[in-house]
Amino acid sequence: MSGISIPGVGDKYKTNELVEALINQERLPLEREQKTLDEYKVQKDALRSVNQNMSSLRESARGLYSFDNPFNNKMGVSSDEDAISAVPGRNAAFESFKVDVLQPATTDRFLSNEIESSYKVDAGNYIFKSGEKDVTMNWKGGTLKDFVAALNRRSKDVVKATLIGVSPGKQALMIESLQTGEANRLVFEGDALDFAQNIGMIQKVQPTGTPLSSSSSIKEAPINTTTITIGEEQVGMPGLSSEGVTVKDGTIIVPPRGSFSIDVPSDIASDSNQRIEFSIGQTNVADITTALNEASREPVLPGPGGINFKGIRIDNIQSDTTLPKHSSNVPQTPLTPINNDQFVSIRMKDGTEIPLSHTDGPQNQDGSNQVSIQVSDYPGIDSIIVRNRNTGKELTLSTIESFNKNADLGFEPTNPASVAQDAKIKYEGITITRPNNDIDDVVPDVTLHVKQETDRTATIEIKPDTESAKESLITFVGTYNQTMAEINVLTETKEEIISELEYLSDEEIEQYEEWLGLFQSDFTLKNGKNAMQSIMSSPYIVEENEEISMLSQLGISTSADQYASFSASRLRGYLEINEEELDNALENNLLEIKNIFGYDSDGDNVIDSGIAYLLDKRLQSFVQSGGILSTKISGLDTRIASSETRIEKLETQIEAKEQELKRKYSQMESTLNSLDSQSQSITNTFNNMNNYNNKK
């Protein structure tokens, strides 16, 4: 070997070259073994890559027939996605329904007045609440910026504070609740209450209401044709009228068969924070049917009606009739008393009425019941109607007033960016209220996501998610082609197999060139390839007269593009997709497509046939623990270990041989040098003697 040098000995006899030549001969078995080891490692890398691709293909196949297969996926399509969307579960029914978003759920977001940037927050115990959650902070005093940072660190999911630069040297503080819904209002307690007032975030609410009822606001109630009380149609029964309704010191008296209407001003009707309140009591009085039955019977005409104008009542003249009067001795059908406890209704702008129960509210000490109407619950409210259909009861109502419902807290925001309110939607005409914008208990297995009010009724359709099914099929075909390409490279020696794969990177091309034909004599990979091709091309008939029973019928085949020129690559088992045909098949034959990938052939409710099922089972024999590829890789690991042991042994032998040759040739050169030295000494002696004799 080159570079051999024997210390103290020159290379006079070319011993270095001789030793190098001998060692090179000794290294030939080592080089052969190292080459064998490299081949084993390349084979192992190739099999591991095939195993990985087959495992990916198996997972993709299993996903096409398992419980989570994409053919069962559903999607919700809304005609107004910006306002409301829907996410269906796998068990949602295919249907279409209509939804109006009256209002989304919002949070309290309160903004302060402008604050100096140098503002200091005093030390104290600051408490912020949102619904049932709260955060308490013992603040030692400091800058507003540090206060905000400390509050956000402690508040988690309760509140959030933000500083907003308004102008040079000025800023505003926003505090918002992190929970939507009216029940999660933002509340300040402890030193936080004084702090919020000092920076102009909240202000005290005066407990005063706006009176809606007065003698001048009493109007004749319109006829309610939708609700007819038993006894209303009795001949001779007085009609409902506002004639006897009186207002004294704010109290409204409604006699038997009395009624009235009170308009709700537009500014109050459009303010969702308004609440209309009044109390209503009832007293038994002499039943008017008794007097009517005892009176002389004459033709009874309805009241002529009238109008109120600036506090003045103007009645119409009673109509005349030419009908003869009944004589007192002519028997008449007596009137029967009417008893009805439905007094209050809300009239909407479209003319519809919504009846209210006066007994739902709390009862006052005098026995009257409190009636509370949240304006936000009745968008489009126009007026409040009271009808006393009874013949033996008198109603007493307190002044009808409108209040700001935030007065319940004693404070209201000065500069509210938004006020906490529940989400309100109208589902198929039914008004539904929820505290948040994700509503999952209205439509079975469908979650509605409320975003903003709808301008018009939104239509939501639950339908099959063909896009996810298409993506899964494309992934499946791509993984299948990748697996087939790798098997082709490993089992054949034609270089065009690699050049046909135009998607390969330079590194992948180099890798495949090294793997080309590596297992050309291995029939397990070839048999596996043939089995997969057979599975992919076979028909799967679940029921007669089905349109889809093969992959080619949904646009997936080795020649899906009918107009493409002939290519040798088509003979290697790669699949192509005709996207137009696939889209059409998914749109019209989704169930049949699902069945050809996995179906129950014997009626035991267990999938036992289909493309994906059979491919999964076939690939299982290759990729499972102890399977074909695992066994091959394990065998290569054994060979690699044995080869590495042999290499180590050969290297040790070569090193020992080299040392032995160095020692032997060193001794030889030493002996030769000694003989050469003796020869030179003898020669010098003879020369000296000859010179001596010549001189004589």
Side-chain angles (χ1 to χ4, degrees):
M1 64 186 292
S2 62
I4 293 179
S5 176
I6 302 175
V9 180
D11 197 17
K12 177 179 179 181
Y13 301 102
K14 304 297 182 181
T15 56
N16 286 344
E17 294 180 4
L18 183 59
V19 170
E20 180 178 1
L22 293 173
I23 291 299
N24 284 339
Q25 288 296 318
E26 293 289 333
R27 290 181 64 84
L28 290 177
L30 175 62
E31 292 174 353
R32 285 194 297 270
E33 194 61 40
Q34 286 176 332
K35 182 178 180 181
T36 300
L37 176 62
D38 291 339
E39 291 175 352
Y40 288 157
K41 289 182 177 181
V42 170
Q43 290 176 10
K44 179 181 177 181
D45 290 340
L47 289 178
R48 290 177 64 182
S49 179
V50 172
N51 185 70
Q52 182 178 357
N53 281 323
M54 282 188 170
S55 296
S56 298
L57 178 58
R58 185 189 179 200
E59 288 301 315
S60 181
R62 294 177 69 179
L64 293 176
Y65 79 90
S66 67
F67 173 78
D68 294 326
N69 71 81
F71 308 111
N72 286 337
N73 290 346
K74 299 177 177 66
M75 61 186 300
V77 179
S78 172
S79 61
D80 192 348
E81 292 284 350
D82 293 335
I84 184 169
S85 61
V87 178
R90 297 176 66 86
N91 295 322
F94 294 125
E95 61 178 323
S96 177
F97 52 87
K98 298 184 181 299
V99 178
D100 292 285
V101 178
L102 305 180
Q103 66 183 37
T106 55
T107 63
D108 274 338
R109 300 171 65 235
F110 299 162
L111 190 65
S112 72
N113 294 331
E114 291 188 5
I115 310 171
E116 295 290 340
S117 298
S118 59
Y119 184 87
K120 302 289 185 181
V121 182
D122 296 334
N125 187 36
Y126 292 79
I127 303 173
F128 302 87
K129 289 186 175 182
S130 174
E132 297 181 354
K133 297 182 180 181
D134 65 81
V135 56
T136 300
M137 183 171 67
N138 293 315
W139 177 246
K140 296 181 179 180
T143 65
L144 183 59
K145 181 179 179 181
D146 291 339
F147 177 83
V148 168
L151 178 59
N152 286 335
R153 283 196 301 270
R154 291 171 172 79
S155 63
K156 296 182 180 178
D157 57 347
V158 183
V159 297
K160 177 184 176 182
T162 306
L163 275 177
I164 302 172
V166 179
S167 59
K170 298 282 187 178
Q171 55 190 350
L173 173 64
M174 176 179 286
I175 298 181
E176 60 181 303
S177 167
L178 297 180
Q179 302 179 95
T180 59
E182 291 185 9
N184 297 314
R185 286 176 168 176
L186 180 60
V187 179
F188 304 91
E189 292 184 358
D191 293 306
L193 180 60
D194 294 334
F195 169 67
Q197 292 184 80
N198 292 337
I199 62 176
M201 182 171 287
I202 59 174
Q203 62 186 4
K204 192 75 176 178
V205 176
Q206 299 300 322
T208 58
T210 302
L212 304 181
S213 62
S214 64
S215 58
S216 61
S217 62
I218 296 294
K219 296 174 57 178
E220 191 71 36
I223 297 175
N224 183 12
T225 59
T226 59
T227 303
I228 302 297
T229 303
I230 296 176
E232 289 270 3
E233 298 179 343
Q234 299 180 68
V235 177
M237 181 63 68
L240 298 177
S241 172
S242 63
E243 282 187 26
V245 178
T246 60
V247 180
K248 185 178 181 181
D249 297 330
T251 301
I252 307 172
I253 307 298
V254 185
R257 306 298 294 169
S259 67
F260 68 92
S261 173
I262 295 288
D263 289 339
V264 178
S266 58
D267 58 336
I268 293 176
S270 61
D271 186 357
S272 60
N273 290 325
Q274 293 294 322
R275 182 180 63 246
I276 300 172
E277 288 187 349
F278 58 95
S279 63
I280 182 168
Q282 51 185 311
T283 306
N284 292 328
V285 296
D287 198 300
I288 63 172
T289 59
T290 302
L292 291 172
N293 287 332
E294 293 175 354
S296 174
R297 292 297 186 181
E298 296 181 0
V300 179
L301 299 176
I307 62 172
N308 292 316
F309 181 72
K310 293 185 178 181
I312 300 174
R313 176 71 181 183
I314 301 176
D315 292 322
N316 294 325
I317 299 174
Q318 181 66 50
S319 301
D320 277 336
T321 177
T322 59
L323 295 174
K325 295 183 179 180
H326 293 288
S327 60
S328 59
N329 59 354
V330 176
Q332 299 290 318
T333 302
L335 298 174
T336 58
I338 298 176
N339 186 18
N340 186 290
D341 287 334
Q342 206 291 304
F343 304 138
V344 184
S345 296
I346 294 177
R347 186 176 177 85
M348 311 303 286
K349 292 186 181 299
D350 60 2
T352 59
E353 288 190 23
I354 302 174
L356 298 182
S357 174
H358 72 283
T359 59
D360 289 344
Q363 192 173 56
N364 300 320
Q365 292 182 351
D366 60 0
S368 63
N369 291 92
Q370 196 71 21
V371 178
S372 179
I373 300 171
Q374 301 287 350
V375 170
S376 59
D377 290 343
Y378 302 95
I381 185 173
D382 180 71
S383 58
I384 298 171
I385 298 175
V386 176
R387 294 186 179 94
N388 182 11
R389 298 179 174 86
N390 298 281
T391 57
K393 289 182 181 180
E394 182 178 81
L395 304 183
T396 303
L397 285 77
S398 66
T399 303
I400 300 176
E401 293 183 298
S402 176
F403 294 87
N404 184 330
K405 67 181 181 181
N406 289 337
D408 289 347
L409 299 177
F411 293 89
E412 65 178 357
T414 307
N415 309 299
S418 66
V419 178
Q421 63 181 13
D422 293 336
K424 290 184 181 178
I425 65 172
K426 186 176 288 187
Y427 169 71
E428 296 292 356
I430 303 172
T431 301
I432 296 169
T433 302
R434 294 292 183 273
N436 53 60
N437 290 316
D438 298 325
I439 304 174
D440 60 3
D441 57 353
V442 173
V443 184
D445 210 35
V446 175
T447 300
L448 300 176
H449 297 291
V450 177
K451 304 169 187 176
Q452 64 184 30
E453 295 181 13
T454 50
D455 295 329
R456 63 186 66 182
T457 300
T459 299
I460 295 178
E461 183 180 3
I462 307 301
K463 62 181 185 178
D465 186 2
T466 56
E467 283 301 318
S468 66
K470 179 180 178 180
E471 290 176 6
S472 297
L473 289 174
I474 291 174
T475 301
F476 170 71
V477 170
T479 309
Y480 174 83
N481 284 342
Q482 176 68 28
T483 304
M484 296 298 290
E486 203 157 271
I487 294 176
N488 286 335
V489 169
L490 293 174
T491 58
E492 298 186 32
T493 58
K494 299 176 182 178
E495 294 184 356
E496 57 266 27
I497 292 177
I498 300 175
S499 61
E500 290 167 358
L501 305 176
E502 299 178 353
Y503 56 85
L504 296 177
S505 64
D506 293 340
E507 292 79 8
E508 290 172 328
I509 291 175
E510 183 179 352
Q511 181 75 80
Y512 278 2
E513 287 175 346
E514 185 179 12
W515 290 356
L516 187 64
L518 205 58
F519 295 97
Q520 58 181 313
S521 60
D522 189 332
F523 290 99
T524 54
L525 289 179
K526 291 182 178 179
N527 290 339
K529 170 189 171 182
N530 294 334
M532 287 190 288
Q533 287 179 310
S534 176
I535 291 171
M536 300 295 279
S537 60
S538 298
Y540 299 88
I541 302 175
V542 182
E543 295 180 2
E544 295 183 2
N545 301 322
E546 286 189 338
E547 294 184 17
I548 303 293
S549 60
M550 300 179 64
L551 276 182
S552 59
Q553 292 172 326
L554 55 100
I556 301 176
S557 67
T558 55
S559 57
D561 187 355
Q562 301 176 358
Y563 301 101
S565 59
F566 173 78
S567 172
S569 64
R570 288 187 169 186
L571 302 178
R572 307 194 199 283
Y574 304 136
L575 294 177
E576 300 175 355
I577 297 177
N578 186 314
E579 194 167 352
E580 183 178 351
E581 289 186 22
L582 178 59
D583 289 339
N584 183 65
L586 288 170
E587 189 68 30
N588 300 302
N589 305 96
L590 187 63
L591 180 59
E592 294 180 10
I593 295 174
K594 172 188 173 182
N595 286 338
I596 70 169
F597 282 99
Y599 64 94
D600 172 22
S601 63
D602 55 12
D604 63 353
N605 295 324
V606 177
I607 291 176
D608 54 17
S609 188
I611 295 172
Y613 173 83
L614 295 176
L615 196 61
D616 172 27
K617 296 306 175 185
R618 181 61 184 172
L619 292 171
Q620 182 180 5
S621 63
F622 279 87
V623 302
Q624 68 180 349
S625 178
I628 295 173
L629 294 179
S630 177
T631 301
K632 288 181 176 294
I633 293 173
S634 178
L636 284 172
D637 285 335
T638 302
R639 295 178 186 178
I640 289 172
S642 298
S643 181
E644 288 175 342
T645 300
R646 285 195 294 272
I647 288 173
E648 184 178 353
K649 183 178 180 180
L650 288 171
E651 287 177 340
T652 301
Q653 291 174 352
I654 291 172
E655 184 177 357
K657 186 70 173 179
E658 183 180 359
Q659 294 300 325
E660 181 183 2
L661 290 173
K662 286 181 180 181
R663 180 179 59 79
K664 288 182 178 180
Y665 279 96
S666 175
Q667 292 176 349
M668 181 193 71
E669 285 206 2
S670 177
T671 301
L672 291 175
N673 286 335
S674 176
L675 292 174
D676 185 61
S677 177
Q678 292 177 8
S679 175
Q680 186 65 36
S681 176
I682 293 172
T683 300
N684 290 337
T685 301
F686 279 110
N687 289 335
N688 290 333
M689 291 178 64
N690 289 332
N691 291 333
Y692 177 79
N693 292 328
N694 291 331
K695 289 180 180 181
K696 286 184 175 184

